[in-house]
Amino acid sequence: MAIEQLFDTPLHFLQHGISKFGTGNVLLAVLVTATLGILADYAWMLYLRSKMPPGPLPLPIIGNTFQLPDTKPWIYFETLSKKYNTPLITFWIGRNPTVWINDAWTANELLDKRAGIYCSRPRMLVFAELGAGQYNLVNMYTTTPAERDRFRIQRKLMHQGVGIQQVKKYRSFQDDESKVVAYDMLTTPENYVAHFERYATSVVSIIGFGRRVADSNDPIITDVIAVMHRAADLNVPGKSFPMLMETFPILAKVPTEFAPWKHGLGARRTTGRGHDFFYTLAKEANDNPGHDDCYVKMLFKEAPKYNLHPCEISALSGNLFGAGSDTSSSTLITAVLAMRAFPETMNPAWEELDRVVGSDRSPSFDDDANLPYMRAFVKEVFRWRSVAIIGGQPHAPVQDDYYNGWLIPKSTWVQGNVWAIHRNEREFPDPDRFNPNRFIKDSPDARPFPGERGYMTFGWGRRVCSGQALAEQGTWLTIARLVWGFRVGPAFDASGKPIPVDIFDYTNGLNMRPQPFKVTFTPRSEAIRETIIREGKQALSDLAQFNGETKYRMSTFYKKQAAS
């Protein structure tokens, strides 16, 4: 007789089994089976660990997750690299190993020279699966031909917006927006952070949507910056929710409404037609007359050719802000911190600027070749406190790879520790000292470094930041203009004492920036002050063609969609 004929239902079978063998025996069997499974899994982890780069011993199931520090894990991984005397460290997030690269030459070998292998992304539960997903270029896998084709299409479209040659066309309004920053500094220097955020957001808004952001209180600034900060937080390994879901992915399967640890991730944030905020913003700009050369109009024009999904248009449009708003403004804030903390670096810059530029005009893009110290100054800003401190999202090899005899398995998280790379004493002696001479040719302070730029701020290989050229172009000009125009001095407390600044007091997100600090901005001369005013007024007049408003606000958009 078949066993299914002996018992009417699975429940009947279970009850009969428990009564026959006893509850204790069944539980013991379950416990033994589970223990053997855990031991077998742990044996596999230890076997893999023996072949991979060194690192702390992982525990079963949880790996090294709870050894993570509460903040700034990149410092911890730098310490581990020194402890094990190796450029590569393996650290287990749950059952998944992450390889951390802490050396410039190793990063160059793996992520640049072997870019074809390290071109994909690993599974990112929190940031990708519960967030932007595979419609976003930032997260895309490239393990299959179809995935690689889609990646190339989006990468091509992104280059049409902010590629090296394309960004040269933006120099005119980028220059004008930079002049407005200097002009605003004369009246409200205490709001320098807001001025930088307005500038950076406005530049990418003109590029993307044909509309500038004229007011530092424009909601799109605070909304977008807040989203970028949140996204940056979701890329930092953590031992608390929501990042703890990377260690225990089963927790992500609980419906969002019953899972407070998701922090709202995984919720449906689209309209009934599948359109979200950035798509709606792009559609609005596409429907508005004028500015036919803006990026979103190109996307809508090319959409049928490339079969673009609305979510892809949304992601490409939104990525402009990610590539150019938060990161660029954070870099400018770091530049001000360096000016305040290392005033001795300003004298060579002023001498060069006074000799080449004078006081009747501010620096322009054409001055770049004649301002080698200013170029070195900006490079040192990028090196000293890089914004994308762990090099952006992790890479993942599309096949097993070996480096110095160590195995790096297919799909492993591979993360570049830019903090450690830019603080290696071999390339950058006394790394916390801001020293532009590191980037002066034939200077005693210069050291060999892979790549012509001398820093790795924008990532590597096929996953290098799409907005690199735009950021480098605008950052150089704006810093040069600020150095030319102002002396950055200490602010004073109520008793008249200078308020110190802390060069280590930075935020904890992937895109780090200095915590708020106070300084003063003073025009270097009356002639320079008059030039700033004259150029600022003219810039506002030139930028008037981009004035306009949007009826959408991110802070209310999804609430309205949910209510409708």
Side-chain angles (χ1 to χ4, degrees), residues 49 53-57 64 67 76-90 406:
R49 177 178 182 264
L57 179 70
N64 304 116
Q67 294 174 247
Y76 173 64
F77 293 119
E78 178 191 33
T79 302
L80 286 180
S81 178
K82 293 177 180 179
K83 174 183 175 180
Y84 290 96
N85 192 29
T86 173
L88 295 181
I89 290 293
T90 303
W406 291 318

Side-chain angles (χ1 to χ4, degrees), residues 397-413:
V398 297
Q399 65 188 52
D400 288 355
D401 193 31
Y402 288 87
Y403 181 77
N404 286 349
W406 291 318
L407 169 67
I408 303 176
K410 177 183 177 180
S411 300
T412 298
W413 284 49

Side-chain angles (χ1 to χ4, degrees), residues 79-294:
T79 302
L80 286 180
S81 178
K82 293 177 180 179
K83 174 183 175 180
Y84 290 96
N85 192 29
T86 173
L88 295 181
I89 290 293
T90 303
F91 193 87
W92 292 73
I93 301 298
R95 300 171 59 258
N96 299 316
T98 299
V99 172
W100 285 81
I101 305 176
N102 298 277
D103 170 85
W105 304 92
T106 306
N108 178 253
E109 173 63 33
L110 295 180
L111 304 182
D112 282 326
K113 292 183 179 179
R114 305 185 195 179
I117 295 176
Y118 291 86
C119 60
S120 195
R121 296 291 193 210
R123 182 191 183 193
M124 294 184 286
L125 177 68
V126 175
F127 184 80
E129 291 185 21
L130 297 178
Q134 287 297 298
Y135 285 116
N136 195 310
L137 175 69
V138 174
N139 305 327
M140 280 184 171
Y141 304 134
T142 56
T143 56
T144 68
E147 289 170 348
R148 287 192 288 274
D149 287 345
R150 208 64 199 163
F151 176 82
R152 291 190 189 101
I153 288 172
Q154 283 212 24
R155 188 75 178 177
K156 176 182 177 180
L157 292 171
M158 203 68 197
H159 277 302
Q160 290 183 32
V162 291
I164 293 175
Q165 296 303 317
Q166 187 67 18
V167 298
K168 293 179 181 179
K169 300 177 182 179
Y170 307 147
R171 286 184 169 183
S172 177
F173 62 75
Q174 199 172 27
D175 184 25
D176 283 334
E177 289 287 14
S178 175
K179 289 175 180 176
V180 174
V181 171
Y183 184 46
D184 288 340
M185 288 293 192
L186 293 178
T187 53
T188 52
E190 68 278 6
N191 295 333
Y192 68 93
V193 171
H195 298 325
F196 293 158
E197 291 178 345
R198 187 214 60 79
Y199 153 79
T201 306
S202 189
V203 168
V204 294
S205 184
I206 293 174
I207 293 170
F209 305 96
R211 180 185 80 88
R212 74 180 295 253
V213 178
D215 189 344
S216 60
N217 294 317
D218 191 315
I220 199 169
I221 299 177
T222 54
D223 286 350
V224 168
I225 295 290
V227 167
M228 298 308 163
H229 285 182
R230 177 58 174 160
D233 289 343
L234 295 179
N235 271 297
V236 178
K239 58 186 179 183
S240 59
F241 290 115
M243 292 306 295
L244 197 57
M245 285 190 287
E246 296 290 356
T247 301
F248 304 109
I250 193 172
L251 294 173
K253 295 184 179 296
V254 180
T256 302
E257 57 269 28
F258 302 115
W261 56 82
K262 284 188 177 181
H263 292 248
L265 294 167
R268 197 171 168 80
R269 302 192 68 189
T270 59
T271 72
R273 297 175 298 165
H275 301 164
D276 69 357
F277 175 74
F278 284 113
Y279 179 88
T280 305
L281 205 65
K283 183 68 166 57
E284 178 190 44
N286 185 61
D287 292 342
N288 286 338
H291 303 296
D292 292 335
D293 57 347
C294 74

Side-chain angles (χ1 to χ4, degrees), residues 16-27:
H16 178 85
I18 291 175
S19 64
K20 181 176 180 180
F21 298 106
T23 303
N25 289 336
V26 171
L27 292 177

